[in-house]
Amino acid sequence: MKKHQFKYFVSLTLCLLVFATSCNKDFEKVIPDSPDNDGNVTYRVPKVLYLIVDGARGTSVRDAGAPTLRTLIDSAVYTWTGLSDNTNYTDATNWTDMLTGVKKEKHNVLTEDFAGNKLENYPVIFERIKSLKPNFRIASFASSDVFKNKLTTGADVTESFGGNDDAVTSRLVEFVKTDTASLIVGQFGGVEKAGKASGFDNSFAPYKAAINKFDSQVGQVLASLKSRPTYNKENWLVIVTSNKGGQFTLPVEQDDKTLFSNTNVNTFTIIYNNKYNPTFIARPFLGNSYSGTAVRFKGEPEKIKAVVQGAATNSEFNFGPDADFTVSVKIKKGKTKNTSKGDYWYEWPSVLGKRNNSSWGQAGWNICLFYNGWRFFGAGGQDNSNGDEVGGLDFSGDTWHDLTFVVEKKADGRRYIRLYTDGVKGITNNGGGFEASPAKPHTNDRQLSGFPNYNNNDPLTVGFVGGDVNGDRGVINVQLAELKIWKTALSETVIKQYSCDPTMDQSHPAYDYLAGYWPMVDGSGTKIKDNGPFAADFVLEGPYNWEKFTDLMCSPSSTNLGVLVPKNSDIPSQILSWFNIPRQESWALDGRVWIAN
């Protein structure tokens, strides 16, 4: 993002000095514009007012009226499309993100009772601040008794009010008038209470009224803050944000099937200072539109699949021990049967391959779903009887993505594999002489074990095959399209350029090397037609249906989207930055700073 100067710095030199001292290479920053100044700078004491409202959907807050918040955005960095945790919708998990600066994978607060938490290793920032500044005064006022009891360790003043937001407001109004605390936190639960009783959308009058009541409460607190005798000598950062959204079924035309259509995780964040110019953080680009009619392939008990007929035709897709080849397919994951690890978490089922059983030691190859990502799974040939499992990058569900792998023989006589997800190269599991993970993928080519030869007499198959699956998490629910197989190793440049295209024609630089091309959006019939040179049509089996779709293609993953808009775990890092408190490497914070002090 474009960087701007901060309003009240004297000169470019001073601005650069402050920026340098607050900058961390792991955190990009958004710095609002600065006005002209007359060179008279008075140091003002930094302070933070941090107000959290539970269950306030960002887009609902945007559209509810909310005059106080609307006034704040005239001097704020703000978004109506922030994100809370995308798999855990509990208050406890999201509060903990907002107070510790780390995600649930570290603090392990997964349930409302905080069972099994690791807060001793990842404490709230009150304790972090106190460890460096023992005299730093902190106060917290919570509607929720649980919030107060579990997440305010280290605060000098900590009070809760049994679910009474009015009492929280009155106490904050009284407290902020004169108290010397540098960090003041307020937590409100009324909006979520209204959402649970009626529904989480402005179409439900009680929910909209609760949002506007909270807005009025914010106005009362801010009026009291500005009445402080020392206000003009202080530099207040005011953060108003929601811990999460709430369940609401969007109209079809508003549901793009991305993370931003999950109403449970839609938050708003306003980071206000009276010296800021408005900086709006918009919803990012989410991919290209793609429409058609395709078969939905399902696992047990339907066992829907499509199979190429004839031994001679199938032999065209055996590439022996030496030939290079490339396979690319578009895929849209539906929810798995067992969603306990996430809606689109799969354990190992094949969706495409040339073998009739995707178990270890079975000669041939498959593309399989692999947790939130995918894998190439191949075996056969000299010293490759057990095969290779090579993981690809994670990708989101209910939108279309491109999966491509390239097998290539190099000058050393060995075969190597490359994996691309939406044109981005990456391997996510260990092996081949390097370590990798979904969080830290590797971009080296992976040397395959031994001297693989995937030839077999099995048919090329899309959809269900038996073999290596794990119960309900291995039951596929997918649509496939744009399957292409080339008898050559496509270059990275070509893959990046064409991976998100929804078509294929003679303008493609590797068109002459096609072994098969199945658009897979025929829309009807008993076959999926091959436009390639061997007319290797797939014949459908099982209780299949052709389903119309209009979705996005190549949408960013949840992890990538999480760095494009404010998220809950960003806020503690933001607060630390405001106070110029250095973030210790040992704290392992996950947050990004959006405003440089």
Side-chain angles (χ1 to χ4, degrees):
M1 289 189 176
K2 183 180 179 181
K3 293 183 167 121
H4 304 286
Q5 293 177 328
F6 190 59
K7 278 190 172 181
Y8 50 78
F9 290 140
V10 181
S11 64
L12 176 63
T13 302
L14 182 55
C15 179
L16 292 174
L17 175 61
V18 174
F19 177 79
T21 58
S22 64
C23 183
N24 182 306
K25 66 181 180 181
D26 295 327
F27 301 94
E28 296 180 17
K29 300 172 175 62
V30 175
I31 309 174
D33 289 332
S34 62
D36 295 332
N37 59 63
D38 58 9
N40 295 319
V41 174
T42 301
Y43 176 76
R44 297 186 301 155
V45 179
K47 303 270 189 177
V48 172
L49 174 65
Y50 180 15
L51 302 179
I52 299 168
V53 55
D54 300 339
R57 282 179 53 209
T59 54
S60 292
V61 175
R62 178 195 64 194
D63 299 336
T68 301
L69 299 181
R70 284 284 175 182
T71 299
L72 286 180
I73 67 175
D74 290 337
S75 298
V77 170
Y78 67 101
T79 186
W80 309 114
T81 53
L83 297 173
S84 62
D85 189 277
N86 67 307
T87 60
N88 191 311
Y89 309 146
T90 64
D91 285 324
T93 295
N94 289 291
W95 285 338
T96 308
D97 285 3
M98 300 171 89
L99 271 297
T100 63
V102 301
K103 299 176 185 177
K104 66 178 183 299
E105 289 77 12
K106 293 177 182 175
H107 61 62
N108 204 47
V109 174
L110 306 177
T111 56
E112 300 290 13
D113 61 3
F114 285 73
N117 73 78
K118 296 181 180 178
L119 292 175
E120 70 280 4
N121 298 325
Y122 300 99
V124 297
I125 59 164
F126 304 161
E127 294 184 75
R128 299 294 198 194
I129 293 172
K130 288 285 191 179
S131 70
L132 299 176
K133 295 188 174 185
N135 296 325
F136 191 98
R137 183 166 169 80
I138 302 169
S140 174
F141 304 98
S143 177
S144 166
D145 297 332
V146 174
F147 184 99
K148 181 242 181 193
N149 293 334
K150 297 293 187 180
L151 292 170
T152 60
T153 303
D156 300 280
V157 179
T158 176
E159 301 174 13
S160 61
F161 298 90
N164 188 334
D165 283 6
D166 290 331
V168 176
T169 304
S170 297
R171 185 69 176 100
L172 278 167
V173 166
E174 171 195 1
F175 187 84
V176 301
K177 283 180 181 177
T178 57
D179 198 90
T180 61
S182 293
L183 172 57
I184 303 171
V185 177
Q187 176 265 327
F188 296 79
V191 173
E192 182 171 64
K193 188 182 298 182
K196 288 180 176 179
S198 62
F200 288 87
D201 186 71
N202 287 337
S203 59
F204 302 99
Y207 186 71
K208 183 176 180 180
I211 290 173
N212 282 302
K213 180 178 180 180
F214 169 72
D215 180 81
S216 174
Q217 292 166 332
V218 173
Q220 295 175 56
V221 176
L222 291 178
S224 181
L225 184 74
K226 292 176 182 179
S227 72
R228 291 169 60 87
T230 55
Y231 181 74
N232 289 330
K233 298 179 181 179
E234 296 165 341
N235 191 21
W236 281 92
L237 186 73
V238 178
I239 302 172
V240 188
T241 187
S242 49
N243 74 333
K244 58 185 178 62
Q247 177 57 41
F248 175 69
T249 301
L250 292 173
V252 172
E253 65 274 12
Q254 296 179 23
D255 185 1
D256 61 15
K257 306 293 175 53
T258 71
L259 188 61
F260 289 99
S261 289
N262 183 345
T263 60
N264 290 289
V265 306
N266 172 213
T267 67
F268 77 96
T269 298
I270 298 172
I271 306 172
Y272 164 88
N273 179 273
N274 61 8
K275 299 296 183 182
Y276 290 171
N277 280 341
T279 302
F280 175 55
I281 302 170
R283 177 172 166 151
F285 173 72
L286 297 176
N288 302 314
S289 181
Y290 182 40
S291 299
T293 305
V295 170
R296 182 172 296 277
F297 294 97
K298 296 184 178 182
E300 299 278 2
E302 292 91 343
K303 299 182 179 179
I304 299 171
K305 62 182 176 180
V307 179
V308 171
Q309 305 292 315
T313 303
N314 276 292
S315 68
E316 297 292 344
F317 304 103
N318 283 332
F319 299 106
D322 300 309
D324 297 343
F325 67 104
T326 301
V327 178
S328 174
V329 68
K330 305 291 190 290
I331 183 169
K332 183 176 75 169
K333 291 186 292 187
K335 293 182 181 179
T336 185
K337 277 191 174 181
N338 185 336
T339 60
S340 60
K341 291 189 175 182
D343 288 348
Y344 307 102
W345 177 282
Y346 283 87
E347 295 190 359
W348 324 315
S350 174
V351 296
L352 160 67
K354 193 179 184 300
R355 55 178 177 175
N356 59 19
N357 187 297
S358 64
S359 297
W360 290 97
Q362 178 86 9
W365 60 266
N366 300 84
I367 288 178
C368 305
L369 299 181
F370 187 41
Y371 306 144
N372 285 318
W374 63 290
R375 67 176 178 175
F376 166 86
F377 190 19
Q382 181 183 345
D383 300 322
N384 194 256
S385 58
N386 288 327
D388 295 281
E389 175 186 59
V390 186
L393 300 174
D394 288 357
F395 61 99
S396 60
D398 268 342
T399 61
W400 289 91
H401 295 273
D402 181 271
L403 312 181
T404 298
F405 73 81
V406 180
V407 173
E408 181 177 14
K409 189 171 184 179
K410 296 192 177 184
D412 62 1
R414 304 297 297 272
R415 287 175 114 178
Y416 291 76
I417 190 166
R418 298 181 264 128
L419 270 60
Y420 298 85
T421 307
D422 293 339
V424 179
K425 187 179 182 182
I427 292 173
T428 60
N429 60 341
N430 295 342
F434 57 83
E435 295 183 359
S437 69
K440 293 183 178 181
H442 208 288
T443 57
N444 282 3
D445 294 5
R446 170 75 64 84
Q447 185 184 93
L448 293 165
S449 302
F451 297 87
N453 181 347
Y454 304 128
N455 287 357
N456 62 26
N457 296 319
D458 295 336
L460 188 65
T461 303
V462 294
F464 171 81
V465 297
D468 195 26
V469 298
N470 188 13
D472 285 348
R473 295 196 188 103
V475 179
I476 61 169
N477 173 23
V478 300
Q479 287 180 288
L480 301 172
E482 288 294 305
L483 170 60
K484 308 175 186 75
I485 299 178
W486 290 270
K487 292 186 174 184
T488 189
L490 263 60
S491 71
E492 185 160 327
T493 300
V494 169
I495 292 170
K496 287 182 176 180
Q497 181 176 354
Y498 290 92
S499 61
C500 295
D501 279 3
T503 58
M504 172 76 179
D505 58 32
Q506 294 184 23
S507 65
H508 192 287
Y511 184 85
D512 291 341
Y513 295 92
L514 274 174
Y517 170 42
W518 302 262
M520 301 186 73
V521 289
D522 307 60
S524 63
T526 61
K527 294 183 178 181
I528 298 173
K529 294 184 178 180
D530 175 23
N531 294 340
F534 305 115
D537 295 348
F538 285 105
V539 177
L540 286 159
E541 299 180 10
Y544 61 88
N545 290 300
W546 292 89
E547 298 182 10
K548 290 184 178 180
F549 64 86
T550 299
D551 301 296
L552 295 174
M553 182 185 292
C554 294
S555 296
S557 69
S558 298
T559 300
N560 291 335
L561 288 173
V563 301
L564 300 176
V565 296
K567 58 186 182 298
N568 287 344
S569 57
D570 290 341
I571 297 174
S573 290
Q574 185 65 67
I575 292 171
L576 294 170
S577 178
W578 186 254
F579 290 118
N580 283 322
I581 295 174
R583 298 181 293 277
Q584 308 298 306
E585 185 175 351
S586 61
W587 296 354
L589 298 181
D590 292 326
R592 168 184 177 179
V593 176
W594 292 88
I595 303 289
N597 183 9

